Amino acid sequence: MSLDSVAVAARTVFGDRIDQAEAYVELLRVHGVERGLIGPREVDRLWERHVLNSAVIGERVPKGARVVDVGSGAGLPGVPLAIARPDLDIVLLEPMARRVDWLAEVADKLDLPITIVRGRAEERQVRADLGGADVVTARAVAPLAKLAGWCLPLARPEGILLALKGASAAEEIERDRDAVRRSGGGTPELFEVGAAVLEVPSLVVVIPRLPAPARRKGKK
């Protein structure tokens, strides 16, 4: 994307919170590489490849939803989503202490009302504390089979997992469909998001968490 088209897309996605988005990109640009959050080649494409790519998943998130972002890392997709959608109640879940510290700094500097928790999605205490989310998000964390097993227990029945994926998303769905079902998920669906603002839309796999009776019926 050209600089002009990135600027237009950013203002469209973030609206009057564009200053927060710009501040987040600057934090990543200045500190991301040295703190092991992004690779050196990513610095020049933070907007289109990371920040806008993440924020547009808001198209699939219901208004006022409680969201748990698993493996938040540099804050993707949770921080851009929190900036673009202030109506959401967002928890960033991250196991690495140094990344938790980074996320806390970002939340403080950007004055974002987000909760940051150190832990892993598969931990019993994390599931007890954070379970019942309307939406669970993940970006570049794991293949769908593992992701469903880790993330779906954090969602309420009929809540959803939104997994940001790359070009091989459709193949991954076919490969891991049975494993997703065994983890309590419904049929994975692939959607494009951000088509109105991005030259290359983001791909997101949407997996509903089935209610317990439906899960029992699925076991033969």
Side-chain angles (χ1 to χ4, degrees):
M1 296 174 69
S2 68
L3 291 176
D4 287 344
S5 60
V6 166
V8 170
R11 290 194 174 277
T12 301
V13 171
F14 294 107
D16 59 8
R17 289 169 294 280
I18 184 64
D19 289 349
Q20 283 179 303
E22 289 174 342
Y24 175 55
V25 170
E26 183 64 9
L27 287 172
L28 280 175
R29 188 188 68 79
V30 173
H31 303 292
V33 175
E34 68 181 47
R35 297 180 68 164
L37 299 164
I38 58 171
R41 295 180 180 179
E42 303 305 307
V43 173
D44 292 333
R45 47 186 183 178
L46 286 170
W47 277 110
E48 61 266 39
R49 189 174 176 86
H50 298 286
V51 176
L52 288 168
N53 170 279
S54 293
V56 293
I57 68 168
E59 294 178 13
R60 306 301 307 183
V61 179
K63 186 173 177 60
R66 187 163 79 84
V67 180
V68 177
D69 182 32
V70 171
S72 201
L76 303 164
V79 170
L81 185 60
I83 296 171
R85 292 285 305 277
D87 60 294
L88 303 177
D89 177 6
I90 295 181
V91 176
L92 307 183
L93 179 64
E94 168 56 43
M96 296 181 64
R98 61 184 176 84
R99 292 181 176 177
V100 168
D101 291 343
W102 155 262
L103 294 171
E105 291 172 25
V106 169
D108 180 59
K109 289 178 179 178
L110 301 186
D111 194 24
L112 284 176
I114 52 181
T115 302
I116 300 156
V117 175
R118 184 182 178 189
R120 299 180 183 277
E122 62 269 33
E123 293 172 359
R124 181 179 299 177
Q125 192 58 52
V126 167
R127 290 180 176 182
D129 293 343
L130 302 183
D134 301 303
V135 178
V136 182
T137 59
R139 180 182 188 266
V141 172
L144 278 181
K146 285 187 177 180
L147 205 58
W150 293 340
C151 296
L152 284 173
L154 293 174
R156 62 171 174 78
E158 299 181 343
I160 57 172
L161 166 61
L162 297 181
L164 266 168
K165 289 291 182 179
S168 62
E171 297 171 15
E172 197 172 331
I173 286 174
E174 291 306 312
R175 183 194 69 205
D176 292 347
R177 188 184 301 273
D178 290 343
V180 168
R181 181 76 182 190
R182 289 193 296 271
S183 295
T187 302
E189 293 186 80
L190 182 61
F191 294 92
E192 288 188 345
V193 290
V197 293
L198 300 178
E199 288 180 2
V200 180
S202 299
L203 296 177
V204 61
V205 178
V206 181
I207 303 173
R209 183 183 181 187
L210 297 176
R215 294 202 296 271
R216 285 198 296 270
K217 288 177 184 178
K219 294 181 180 180
K220 300 294 186 182

